[in-house]
Amino acid sequence: MSKKWYVLHTYSGYENKVKNTLEQRIEALGLENNIFAIEIPTETVTEIKDGGKRVEAEHKVLPGYVLVRMELDSRSWSYVRNTPGVTGFVGSQGKPEPLTREEYNKIMGYTKKAAGVPVKTSTSISVGDAIRVISGPLADFDGTVSEVCSDTGKVKVMVSIFGRETPVELSFDQVSRIE
C-alpha cells in the first residue's frame, strides 16, 4: 500500500470540525501508521470593504471538502468514512479515487504560489452598480460598473466626462459603491 491523497466530502461548514475530529480519532485509535495528514485547502483573498478598506481573509478553495493522505485499507476507510460530518469519499462507482500529484498541487495552490501569482481580490461591487471614484485624477466622478476583474483587482467603469460615456479602468480601492 502507498500513501495517497483522497478527497472527503463533508457537510458544508464542517471542514474544520471534521479535521479536528479525525486528528483526535487517529490518536485515540492508533491510526498514525495509516492516516498521515489532513488538509483544508485555503487561499488568501484581499477583500475591499466599503470605503476602500483592504482586509485579508482566508477562504476555503473547496467548501465542503477535506483532503486526507492515507493508506487506504478497510480499517482506515471505515474509521474515516464514519467520522461525524463526513458524507463519503470522492470517487467513481462508490470507490475512493486518489488524487494525482498534479491535482493535489493544483488544489493546494503550489503552482500559483511558486509562479508568484498575486492573491485574489474580492469586492462587493458588481456589474451595473453605481459608484463614485474616491481617489485619483477622476475623484468625485460618478459612474456605472461595466466589468469586474477579481484576479487583477480592477473594475471598468463608464464615467461621464464632458458629456460622453468614457470607459475607465480603476482599482477596487479607488471606487466606492453609491448606496
Side-chain angles (χ1 to χ4, degrees):
M1 288 260 170
S2 63
K3 305 171 193 170
K4 295 190 177 178
W5 285 100
Y6 293 89
V7 181
L8 295 179
H9 188 260
T10 68
Y11 294 126
S12 187
Y14 278 67
E15 301 88 357
N16 293 330
K17 188 169 181 57
V18 165
K19 180 179 179 181
N20 292 337
T21 303
L22 272 173
E23 288 169 345
Q24 291 169 359
R25 292 184 84 174
I26 290 166
E27 191 174 322
L29 300 169
L31 293 169
E32 294 91 351
N33 294 327
N34 296 84
I35 303 170
F36 305 98
I38 303 161
E39 296 281 349
I40 300 171
T42 60
E43 65 183 346
T44 303
V45 176
T46 302
E47 298 178 339
I48 308 295
K49 301 293 183 182
D50 287 332
K53 184 176 178 193
R54 290 178 172 266
V55 177
E56 287 202 354
E58 286 288 315
H59 285 242
K60 290 178 178 67
V61 175
L62 299 169
Y65 295 93
V66 174
L67 305 183
V68 179
R69 186 167 188 226
M70 61 190 284
E71 284 186 10
L72 190 66
D73 59 22
S74 59
R75 181 173 172 240
S76 62
W77 176 87
S78 177
Y79 285 127
V80 172
R81 172 64 186 92
N82 293 312
T83 299
V86 173
T87 60
F89 282 87
V90 172
S92 60
Q93 301 167 351
K95 186 177 159 199
E97 292 282 331
L99 293 173
T100 65
R101 173 56 64 189
E102 293 77 27
E103 289 170 329
Y104 174 79
N105 287 343
K106 189 174 182 183
I107 290 170
M108 294 305 292
Y110 288 127
T111 51
K112 278 189 202 172
K113 290 173 188 165
V117 173
V119 294
K120 285 186 178 174
T121 306
S122 98
T123 182
S124 58
I125 295 171
S126 57
V127 173
D129 284 352
I131 60 94
R132 171 162 286 134
V133 181
I134 57 174
S135 67
L138 299 175
D140 297 326
F141 276 81
D142 292 342
T144 305
V145 177
S146 63
E147 189 178 327
V148 177
C149 187
S150 295
D151 293 339
T152 60
K154 305 264 184 191
V155 289
K156 285 192 180 167
V157 179
M158 297 303 287
V159 179
S160 181
I161 301 174
F162 304 121
R164 280 180 64 189
E165 289 289 307
T166 307
V168 179
E169 188 173 89
L170 301 165
S171 62
F172 287 161
D173 58 358
Q174 288 183 286
V175 299
S176 178
R177 194 169 42 176
I178 299 172
E179 299 297 328

